[in-house]
Amino acid sequence: MKTTQKRLFPILVSVIAVILFAIILVATFTTSRSYAEALVSAHENESASNATTRGIYTSLSISINGGNGKVWTTVKNDVTIFPSTVIVIVELYSSETYQESYQNMTLEQKVQTGDLNLGKTITAEASTGGVQKYWLGRTRYKVDNGAWKEMKTGVCIYDANGNFVSVA
């Protein structure tokens, strides 16, 4: 009897691990949805409305960096399970004084793509203008015909040369 239990235990642990992984994957995929403005490009709107949901899971990351008198924010498509269309808008904001919201900051650059493929990045970049400022990166993105989502970096201070000073 104990021999049978010893054989079944690894199988049972494996089955439980697979079930937990599936639950975590579904929970991660269905959280943190937010709505944003419609895409400005009519061509991209048309292709997005004709898209069907094909991808199971997509994970993007956003970062902010600086150097050589510039600051930039980058969005990367880290994971896409099954092919999907990932529309991404990246915005870089600055302010000479601390602001709680990007809405009170100056939009320095806005870039977009109609499909950010797996492993690819998109970057918005601006000059510091020789002035130390507060900076924030923001992205809005949409996977296939799903809802718009948003991610932001924290507000960071970069000096006149684009070197990181601190998190605000």
Side-chain angles (χ1 to χ4, degrees):
M1 186 69 153
K2 289 190 180 219
T3 305
T4 305
Q5 288 176 344
K6 287 182 182 178
R7 289 183 190 165
L8 291 178
F9 183 73
I11 295 170
L12 182 60
V13 169
S14 297
V15 169
I16 291 171
V18 168
I19 291 171
L20 286 174
F21 177 74
I23 290 170
I24 290 169
L25 184 63
V26 168
T28 303
F29 177 64
T30 58
T31 57
S32 69
R33 292 183 182 238
S34 64
Y35 295 91
E37 304 165 11
L39 188 62
V40 293
S41 169
H43 172 69
E44 289 174 349
N45 270 336
E46 181 181 328
S47 63
S49 66
N50 292 334
T52 58
T53 302
R54 299 173 291 162
I56 291 178
Y57 178 77
T58 298
S59 176
L60 304 181
S61 60
I62 187 168
S63 62
I64 189 165
N65 293 292
N68 297 322
K70 297 178 183 178
V71 175
W72 58 88
T73 188
T74 300
V75 174
K76 180 178 182 183
N77 183 338
D78 296 313
V79 177
T80 297
I81 299 176
F82 291 120
S84 58
T85 301
V86 184
I87 301 168
V88 178
I89 301 169
V90 181
E91 299 167 337
L92 181 61
Y93 294 88
S94 75
S95 176
E96 291 189 20
T97 59
Y98 176 76
Q99 300 296 320
E100 291 284 330
S101 170
Y102 72 90
Q103 294 172 328
N104 299 325
M105 300 174 87
T106 301
L107 176 62
E108 295 289 345
Q109 188 181 40
K110 178 179 178 178
V111 294
Q112 64 187 47
T113 181
D115 190 10
L116 186 64
N117 291 319
L118 174 64
K120 300 297 182 183
T121 61
I122 182 172
T123 300
E125 176 182 276
S127 170
T128 63
V131 178
Q132 178 171 300
K133 295 181 186 178
Y134 294 84
W135 295 84
L136 177 136
R138 176 177 180 242
T139 185
R140 293 176 291 146
Y141 64 98
K142 181 177 178 176
V143 179
D144 293 329
N145 61 350
W148 283 95
K149 298 178 185 180
E150 175 185 270
M151 289 190 306
K152 293 180 278 192
T153 65
V155 177
C156 298
I157 303 171
Y158 283 85
D159 68 17
N161 295 320
N163 299 313
F164 176 78
V165 175
S166 71
V167 175

